[in-house]
Amino acid sequence: MDGSLLSIRGLSIHAQAKTGVTEILRGIDLEVDRGTILGLVGESGSGKSTLGLASMGYTREGLQIASGKILFDGIDLIRLSEHQRRSMRGVRIAYVAQSAAASFNPARRLFDQSIEVPVGRARMARREAISRLIELYARLQLQGASTLGLRFPHHVSGGQLQRAMTAMAMVTGPDLIVFDEPTTALDVTTQIEVLSAIRDVVESSNTAAIYISHDLALVAQMADRIMVLRRGQVVEEAPTRQMLSAPREAYTRSIWAADGFRAEPKATLDREVSPLLRLTAVTAWYGRSRVLNDVALQVHAGRTVAVVGESGSGKSTLAKVIAGVLPPSGGTMQFAGGVLAAGYRRRSREQLCRIQLIAQSPDTALNPRRRVCDSVGRPLTFYHGLRGAARERRMRQLLAELDLDPDRYAGRFPGELSGGQKQRVCIARALAAEPSLVICDEVTSGLDQLVAQDTLKLLDRLQRERGLAYVFITHDLAIVRAIADDVVVMKGGSIVRSGPREEVLAPPYDPYTELLLSSIPEMDPDWLDRVLARRSGAPGLGGAH
Amino acid sequence: MSRALELLKTAPASARIGMAVVAGYGVVAVLAPSLAPYGETQIVGLEFADWSAQHWLGTDDLGRDVLSRLLYGARNTIGIALLTTLIASALGGVTGLAAGTLRGWVDQVLGRVVDVLMAVPSLILTLLMLAIFGTSIFSMIAIIAVIESTRIFRLARSLALGIGMLDYVTTARLRGEGLTWIIFCEVLPNAAAPLIAEFGLRFCFVFLFIATLSFLGLGIQPPTADWGSMVRDNATLIAYGQMSPLIPAGAIALLTMAVNVIVDWLVHQSSGLKE
């Protein structure tokens, strides 16, 4: 035995499809020692999740391990029977999935489903399992640890669920835990709490872990070593600090640099010009709860207003109100000098055309049964009466503008596109209407860093070319820094701070903006320690999570 | 179209057999006049004649050729069941998708009407309606279509509710698209797979239902050949150890199973479940 807990040698995984065999992973070597965390970084499709699952001896449907060895504590997982492998999973090797909300059974209480494996497979007594779970909840800084598990998954927040899932994975005291993007679905303020909780627990229990993420800054906080994957191959592997300070490969350097996009500053705004969109004292309710409270907002042509805040702050609601999906109960909205009716049904076709919404998730924003050319072409026909060859020409022009080769992509269905491509089709569809205001609701949050940066650059370019106004809803302050002209900070349905970017993102801050700003992960392995040290000096800022 | 062919290639053996059986029934139904040795209502011999070279499956209680009536029966029973199911699907599908897309009072009104129709057991409701409107093929088709459409309404409505929440439908609404576009271009294509599967399943129920009514003497009326009434008319033969009445019953059972096998596969496909 060479001392390492998990040792993968020459692992290749193939996908069997009708069209032939595709290599998902090619000749991967990997070592994880006890008590260390290995970070796996890569864009989507790089095979990092497949590798994470393979380290448990598991492959997704349709995938096959073609060659290689997966030695876990000296046992070759590939040679074990499925039954033997299953008896190790959840007991000696555990897995924490990306979306805890989707991974818990909504019909069962947290305690009941969390102790299923320990009681069923690790032969732990029910009472012992529950007391260990409560202890873990406490160590993961979950409030009300002793009673939290009596709740159903929908009764707790996303951040709490993610920690509950980590606790569930750790009840049996596994030797290895695989974390697959455990904080991607969380907003920055919650993410920090989950990160620090996970790190503390993993460190104190001397467990080995594999931490998978597309966000390098996060991995830098968690991992001792980092491995960069691309197209199923290892690009490079090194201790975290060395990897950050001196990446060897060009690809690695390009990921590092992806964070650096900054739109060129625009000319200062002439305050005399009347805004394109003006919201005054807008209030909105969801049933009996008030979700927007006396919101005022001005958007000028050719400029970007970023709306930031943690989840539940009302920023997406604001997008819905402007788009007309959720009619506000009070206040006035003006668009291009005219009154903007509350609900979209009462708006004129011209107003509908000039305000376009790009939704958060490109997966659900495109009709899966319509080809790209039809999705992009429809607004051309609907608003501008283009048909036949004229429509075809304009549609191809739009796709080409968004760096999508019309010959290759116009005939495809959304299922045949990557996430970034889908998002660009959504943008093309919005632009087809020739809007003057585009509402972007978290348009980059589902995308990889590199793709997200490209999308931002694209939006910036289009804004300059067409004089578009953007309302940019985001929880990511790095994006705000990159493209915003004006910033609106929201909390609990109200605006707590607004103004030009340089003013809002400069001290002195109010406590909430400070909290948001300091929660953005930085590309520095000491960032998390520094933030936590600073916050421990000022308790109470952690919020209600 | 090419996608449909692609899909067919992936069909498992059971679904292929099912499709072959259904196709066989279709051919028989279409070609019945040229396949049948005698006319549908032609009296060709003695009553209850035994199987022979002239009458492969013997004759029935009036001396008509059983084989000929069996072949014509395929045409009548399947044709009427198919027509009824098509009407039921169109009616239930469109109202259900509209209710799920529009929500609000339209949904409430349609929903309550459907609740009332579903609250009464369908056989009793049908018997009642047939008593009121008289037993003609037209009224039978209309009554069964309305009753079966309630089940399709339920499915279509819940599908439309789910799909209506998705961003691409919101985008279409915000574009100012009309209801027709939203239902037929945005919602329906994405609800098609489960609705097609439901169509097959409904067809089985309608088919069995018509056979039941015919057996009770309330469905397809004599002298039109129909499998349900053929079973009833010749039922006495079973007491004499004769197979004949079981053959139309077997034909009903085989078609039902074949359609079910295909539907199973389609449902499996559309739900994305693996083995």
Side-chain angles (χ1 to χ4, degrees):
Chain A
M1 256 181 68
D2 53 5
S4 64
L5 179 68
L6 177 77
S7 153
I8 294 180
R9 287 273 161 268
L11 180 71
S12 293
I13 292 187
H14 291 173
Q16 205 86 37
K18 273 170 289 179
T19 47
V21 174
T22 324
E23 283 193 315
I24 304 291
L25 291 178
R26 209 177 325 162
I28 302 279
D29 293 324
L30 178 153
E31 301 276 340
V32 185
D33 297 332
R34 283 179 196 278
T36 62
I37 303 181
L38 174 77
L40 280 182
V41 187
E43 56 195 307
S44 67
S46 60
K48 55 190 193 301
S49 287
T50 307
L51 181 54
L53 289 171
S55 53
M56 308 168 64
Y58 179 83
T59 54
R60 288 206 188 99
E61 192 79 37
L63 299 186
Q64 278 175 345
I65 296 176
S67 61
K69 276 185 183 172
I70 304 170
L71 292 171
F72 174 77
D73 205 6
I75 310 163
D76 190 347
L77 291 181
I78 299 173
R79 294 189 173 201
L80 292 183
S81 71
E82 184 57 34
H83 180 76
Q84 287 169 311
R85 275 200 294 264
R86 272 186 59 186
S87 66
M88 296 184 73
R89 287 185 203 135
V91 181
R92 295 201 62 195
I93 313 175
Y95 181 72
V96 178
Q98 175 165 3
S99 169
S103 305
F104 274 107
N105 180 344
R108 301 186 65 199
R109 294 174 197 279
L110 291 177
F111 273 156
D112 293 333
Q113 48 191 318
S114 301
I115 62 168
E116 202 171 314
V117 167
V119 172
R121 262 188 233 151
R123 310 258 169 254
M124 205 181 265
R126 192 186 150 84
R127 187 171 299 175
E128 187 198 346
I130 287 186
S131 68
R132 291 199 55 170
L133 206 55
I134 292 175
E135 184 202 325
L136 280 165
Y137 283 169
R139 274 164 64 193
L140 288 161
Q141 293 150 38
L142 282 163
Q143 279 163 13
S146 53
T147 54
L148 185 86
L150 297 174
R151 297 200 222 165
F152 287 100
H154 51 275
H155 287 157
V156 301
S157 73
Q160 286 173 321
L161 262 191
Q162 203 70 51
R163 278 177 276 179
M165 193 162 177
T166 309
M168 175 162 126
M170 297 193 66
V171 177
T172 53
D175 300 304
L176 175 69
I177 306 183
V178 179
F179 293 96
D180 193 352
E181 307 257 11
T183 62
T184 305
L186 308 176
D187 55 88
V188 280
T189 48
T190 319
Q191 171 172 284
I192 249 183
E193 293 167 32
V194 176
L195 282 182
S196 65
I198 289 178
R199 199 179 59 175
D200 290 349
V201 172
V202 170
E203 267 173 12
S204 60
S205 49
N206 198 30
T207 307
I210 295 179
Y211 192 96
I212 301 169
S213 177
H214 67 273
D215 189 338
L216 196 83
L218 285 186
V219 174
Q221 312 311 316
M222 306 297 287
D224 303 299
R225 294 176 70 79
I226 293 180
M227 179 184 267
V228 181
L229 285 179
R230 186 188 198 199
R231 293 185 191 145
Q233 281 182 303
V234 179
V235 176
E236 68 176 298
E237 190 198 345
T240 301
R241 278 167 206 282
Q242 187 188 328
M243 181 71 102
L244 287 176
S245 55
R248 285 194 311 273
E249 303 291 325
Y251 173 70
T252 321
R253 281 195 292 271
S254 76
I255 315 188
W256 271 226
D259 209 24
F261 171 68
R262 290 278 184 281
E264 281 173 38
K266 301 185 184 83
T268 48
L269 182 66
D270 182 0
R271 292 279 163 195
E272 298 301 303
V273 179
S274 67
L276 181 65
L277 175 77
R278 188 202 297 270
L279 269 59
T280 320
V282 166
T283 307
W285 299 71
Y286 266 138
R288 297 180 69 183
S289 61
R290 179 140 75 177
V291 284
L292 279 187
N293 193 3
D294 198 18
V295 168
L297 184 74
Q298 293 191 2
V299 186
H300 289 81
R303 292 178 75 85
T304 302
V305 175
V307 181
V308 287
E310 52 189 358
S311 59
S313 61
K315 55 190 195 302
S316 281
T317 311
L318 182 60
K320 284 186 187 155
V321 166
I322 299 172
V325 183
L326 178 74
S329 58
T332 54
M333 294 194 281
Q334 282 176 306
F335 180 73
V339 175
L340 190 61
Y344 69 90
R345 285 197 177 85
R346 306 216 318 271
R347 291 184 184 173
S348 71
R349 182 181 268 225
E350 200 221 326
Q351 284 177 334
L352 290 176
C353 170
R354 289 186 64 191
I355 303 177
Q356 290 288 315
L357 174 73
I358 302 175
Q360 173 168 8
S361 158
D363 297 323
T364 57
L366 292 172
N367 186 336
R369 301 274 178 191
R370 289 176 74 76
R371 291 175 195 278
V372 168
C373 52
D374 295 327
S375 285
V376 177
R378 178 63 187 168
L380 296 173
T381 309
F382 188 77
Y383 290 126
H384 308 298
L386 293 183
R387 281 172 209 288
R391 166 174 143 156
E392 178 76 14
R393 203 175 323 121
R394 183 77 188 106
M395 182 273 298
R396 295 176 71 89
Q397 199 183 334
L398 278 165
L399 288 185
E401 256 185 77
L402 293 168
D403 306 323
L404 289 168
D405 179 5
D407 292 324
R408 281 183 67 193
Y409 296 109
R412 292 202 190 180
F413 286 98
E416 299 163 329
L417 301 174
S418 73
Q421 288 167 339
K422 277 186 235 178
Q423 194 60 279
R424 275 181 280 167
V425 173
C426 291
I427 297 172
R429 180 176 61 185
L431 291 181
E434 311 269 339
S436 20
L437 173 69
V438 179
I439 307 160
C440 306
D441 188 1
E442 303 270 11
V443 285
T444 56
S445 63
L447 307 175
D448 290 321
Q449 249 160 330
L450 281 174
V451 184
Q453 292 297 325
D454 285 345
T455 311
L456 288 182
K457 279 179 204 166
L458 183 73
L459 286 169
D460 183 56
R461 194 190 82 207
L462 293 166
Q463 178 170 52
R464 284 165 205 281
E465 286 169 6
R466 294 161 177 252
L468 295 174
Y470 290 143
V471 174
F472 217 97
I473 312 287
T474 182
H475 66 267
D476 187 346
L477 279 144
I479 294 175
V480 177
R481 285 216 180 96
I483 61 156
D485 301 304
D486 300 290
V487 181
V488 169
V489 182
M490 291 192 73
K491 185 189 188 186
S494 303
I495 290 177
V496 292
R497 195 174 161 99
S498 69
R501 177 184 63 188
E502 303 77 45
E503 285 175 26
V504 173
L505 300 188
Y509 304 114
D510 56 294
Y512 181 68
T513 310
E514 159 96 54
L515 173 71
L516 278 181
L517 280 175
S518 65
S519 301
I520 310 169
E522 285 166 24
M523 207 73 92
D524 169 2
D526 299 321
W527 165 78
L528 184 60
D529 297 320
R530 222 171 44 229
V531 172
L532 291 175
R534 204 162 58 221
R535 284 195 190 168
S536 64
L541 278 182
H545 288 278
Chain B
M1 203 55 218
S2 61
R3 275 158 63 102
L5 284 176
E6 195 89 331
L7 192 66
L8 277 186
K9 278 186 202 155
T10 66
S14 60
R16 284 172 187 222
I17 294 171
M19 282 186 273
V21 171
V22 170
Y25 273 80
V27 169
V28 168
V30 172
L31 299 180
S34 29
L35 288 177
Y38 301 98
E40 183 182 358
T41 56
Q42 193 185 356
I43 294 173
V44 293
L46 292 172
E47 299 92 45
F48 297 133
D50 214 342
W51 295 10
S52 65
Q54 283 83 38
H55 307 292
W56 287 3
L57 298 177
T59 58
D60 68 0
D61 56 334
L62 296 176
R64 294 170 297 195
D65 183 54
V66 172
L67 176 63
S68 303
R69 285 184 68 74
L70 195 64
L71 297 177
Y72 275 102
R75 171 172 260 212
N76 299 325
T77 318
I78 297 174
I80 290 172
L82 199 62
L83 181 65
T84 311
T85 318
L86 280 173
I87 298 173
S89 298
L91 184 67
V94 171
T95 49
L97 291 176
T101 308
L102 284 172
R103 284 171 283 174
W105 65 267
V106 180
D107 186 25
Q108 288 297 323
V109 171
L110 286 171
R112 296 301 79 75
V113 171
V114 164
D115 284 349
V116 169
L117 283 174
M118 289 184 90
V120 187
S122 47
L123 187 59
I124 297 191
L125 186 60
T126 313
L127 294 180
L128 192 74
M129 301 298 249
L130 283 173
I132 296 171
F133 295 107
T135 45
S136 68
I137 288 190
F138 173 76
S139 56
M140 185 182 74
I141 290 178
I143 292 164
I144 299 179
V146 168
I147 291 175
E148 289 296 322
S149 73
T150 55
R151 273 75 177 172
I152 295 164
F153 172 91
R154 282 275 176 102
L155 177 71
R157 176 184 172 270
S158 65
L159 286 168
L161 277 180
I163 295 169
M165 291 294 164
L166 295 177
D167 290 336
Y168 58 84
V169 182
T170 310
T171 309
R173 286 182 210 266
L174 288 179
R175 202 187 301 141
E177 299 280 7
L179 182 64
T180 325
W181 174 276
I182 291 178
I183 289 180
F184 289 103
C185 296
E186 305 287 349
V187 179
L188 182 60
N190 294 290
L195 283 177
I196 290 170
E198 176 71 7
F199 176 86
L201 215 56
R202 278 301 126 202
F203 172 75
C204 287
F205 283 114
V206 169
F207 182 73
L208 289 173
F209 201 66
I210 291 175
T212 310
L213 286 177
S214 299
F215 182 80
L216 293 174
L218 294 165
I220 298 168
Q221 293 299 307
T224 312
D226 160 75
W227 293 343
S229 44
M230 283 174 73
V231 175
R232 185 193 52 169
D233 294 344
N234 303 317
T236 45
L237 283 179
I238 294 174
Y240 302 99
Q242 256 273 15
M243 286 280 290
S244 301
L246 295 181
I247 291 170
I252 295 172
L254 183 62
L255 179 59
T256 313
M257 282 195 291
V259 173
N260 261 307
V261 169
I262 302 173
V263 166
D264 264 1
W265 167 63
L266 281 177
V267 171
H268 228 254
Q269 282 287 323
S270 68
S271 65
L273 289 173
K274 295 283 185 302
E275 292 313 315

